[in-house]
Amino acid sequence: MAALAYTLGKREINHYFSVRSAKVLALVAVLLLAACHLASRRYRGNDSCEYLLSSGRFLGEKVWQPHSCMMHKYKMSEAKNCLVDKHIAFIGDSRIRQLFYSFVKIINPQFKEEGNKHENIPFQDKTASVKVDFLWHPEVNGSMKQCIKVWTEDSGAKPHVIVAGAATWSIKIHNGSDEALSQYKMNITSIAPLLEKLAKTSDVYWVLQDPVYEDHLSENRKMITNEKIDAYNEAAVSILNSSTRNSKSNVKLFRVSKLIAQETIMESLDGLHLPESSRETSAMILMNVCCNKVLKPVDGSCCQPRPPLTLIQKLAACFFTLSVIGYLIFYVIHRNAHRKNKPCTDLESGEEKKNIINTPVSSLEILLQSFCKLGLIMAYFYMCDRANLFMKENKFYTHSSFFIPIIYILVLGVFYNENTKETKVLNREQTDEWKGWMQLVILIYHISGASTFLPVYMHIRVLVAAYLFQTGYGHFSYFWIKGDFGIHRVCQVLFRLNFLVVVLCIVMDRPYQFYYFVPLVTVWFMVIYVTLALWPQIIQKKANGNCLWHFGLLLKLAFLLLCICFLAYSQGAFEKIFSLWPLSKCFELNGNVYEWWFRWRLDRYVVFHGMLFAFIYLALQRRQILSEGKGEPLFSNKISNFLLFISVVSFLTYSIWASSCKNKAQCNELHPSVSVVQIVAFILIRNIPGYARSVYSSFFAWFGKISLELFICQYHIWLAADTRGILVLIPGNPTLNIIISTFIFVCVAHEISQITTDLAQVLIPKDNSSLFRRLACMVAFFCGLLILSSIQDKSRP
């Protein structure tokens, strides 16, 4: 009964909710969300700097998240590079002095807080020509006004950035009297026009007063209450915002410090001054305001304008627009023709006469429809990660954010299980299942920011290695068994691997190496192909006739291993090979190929291990040593139990070692040699018991079929800022946001997979003459792309 209910339940779900209806729902969701965000931007403004300065929340202890955008954590070198030849002035009381110290420590972490606190404090970094001054003016009075007035009259002395604020001294000295508040209003009214004048050529920020923790205040500060502080803040906001009659004030209000203090002031030692972590956050926000528009960090989306369209992007937009128009015209013409040929009713018999037979879909229609859909999808990619329409947030790792989703998908994977069509080791359903659950775990790893937790990082490295292991196993098995070394097979695989990435490189203006996994599997596929295709071509059929051919193949594999070892320990030779034009255009990132060398070296042996495993397995299978019948253990009971025991121990031993890693660099050095242990152990555990080999999870297998698209699409429409952050479609509700964005993301990945398959049928025909013509067109296209890319690189600042 339970099995029947389980089967009926799955059928019921599949009947009412198909993939097609899911995609329609996703399209409707995208249109509604885009409309809502567009309306919100128009109503609330499109200035992410305003959000950075005025709103946000703590994701966890000491981790501040601005509303709608991402904040970059600046290092000393970045800060110096940004502030070169700049003069920054902090003017105010002891709280502004705190902010000054924290700001300077970003530029020079060794700077010490010493000297007379109630006097001016200079700082200068001669290497970067950065000058930062603190000017002691604890009250908004004539002294502060005179200082600001000098700057308005002497353009040479005027700072590039001015950070001002004061109020608590006025409250303290005048015992919180109403007359002091009135005087404060008069003084700030007289200073406001001067600040506004400075703000036309400099960046001016007025820091609102932070709340106090009244229980910790000393007796001589008891008059400084939060009620008084709110009154002074209201006065400052009202006067500064009304300093210009017909336009918005150029003086920016630094409200965010107040929000941070509300969460952390209880940690204050004296009840007045913020704890160090809070003022460091405020200083980092100020650094983001000053530097994001200069350095344009990928993970610092606050205060950054939308990047201008490149020439290649404009051409891509024109192409996709023409594709949409062309398909609409084609659709209208086709529909009218269909209406003319609609079955008509015979007046005498009352029966319908069929005038035509359904004609097959033409190649032109497939091309137009595919590029039309792809154009709309690429528009969504651009809106998510380039147009600043949707919001972005920083990642924040917690154990629950990683492990709870893992448990969810595990339960779903177990629920959706079916019998396999065949019970061979690593059959198609099983490899799809393997790819599927690995891809889902990797996705959760990326969105949760789990790379900061070393044990999780090391296990994810094994999953990436397992993908490459499958690359070696799958392609070796195909060439060994089929002996098909034709150009059609090569083009088919290369198109399937690279089509989406090439489109994204064009649309998102990113280098090919940015999507590092695709170059990795592409190069390894070509290595496998060249290894087996070069003379002498040794395939299973030939080797079965003479055992010496097996020895010949092992020699080929040994030579491949020797080449891998040489390149792994000869970085100079590796970089020289891949720095040659036009390879450099594909494998350079940030002007060099070091990232490519690091990625290749990290899993340098695992493809070879996959090829060797395939050779051994197919040899054992050929000699009928394995029992691959339904429900049968792979070997005899004794051998099966022994191998299972060894596999479980090996699997757990690797996990214990990976979990005890203390240094990422050292563990990465050992990873290429030992990752195969856990991979082979998993394969044996999964395949030795006959009952385990006879079932698979259709849930995981479904995702496995689109694993490549899922891996690539996550960069821009699930994550954000090129994987550094998280895309926010539903602000204020992280759980609902993940559900909606994941649903759309999966639908898009599935549709792209279908588009790739459809285009491959048209662009990679089986007829060699047609294929060579298309290859000539593709070569011309890439030559044009290289020329345009070179022109773009020269025109960039």
Side-chain angles (χ1 to χ4, degrees), residues 100-102 104-105 108-115 121-123 279:
F100 159 79
Y101 277 128
S102 296
V104 167
K105 283 181 180 179
N108 181 7
Q110 281 74 45
F111 188 72
K112 295 181 180 179
E113 301 181 19
E114 56 188 15
I121 305 172
F123 167 80
R279 70 189 206 192

Side-chain angles (χ1 to χ4, degrees), residues 428-446:
R428 184 56 182 267
E429 288 99 340
Q430 191 183 125
T431 53
D432 283 340
E433 174 203 85
W434 192 9
K435 288 178 183 177
W437 71 257
M438 287 195 303
Q439 184 57 62
L440 292 176
V441 171
I442 290 171
L443 290 174
I444 294 169
Y445 163 81
H446 282 153

Side-chain angles (χ1 to χ4, degrees), residues 332 536 655 732:
V332 170
S655 289

Side-chain angles (χ1 to χ4, degrees), residues 162-187:
I162 300 164
V163 182
T168 53
W169 268 68
S170 297
I171 299 172
K172 177 184 173 181
I173 291 173
H174 300 287
N175 202 30
S177 66
D178 292 337
E179 290 79 8
L181 177 60
S182 299
Q183 186 63 45
Y184 179 84
K185 290 179 180 178
M186 290 174 61
N187 291 340

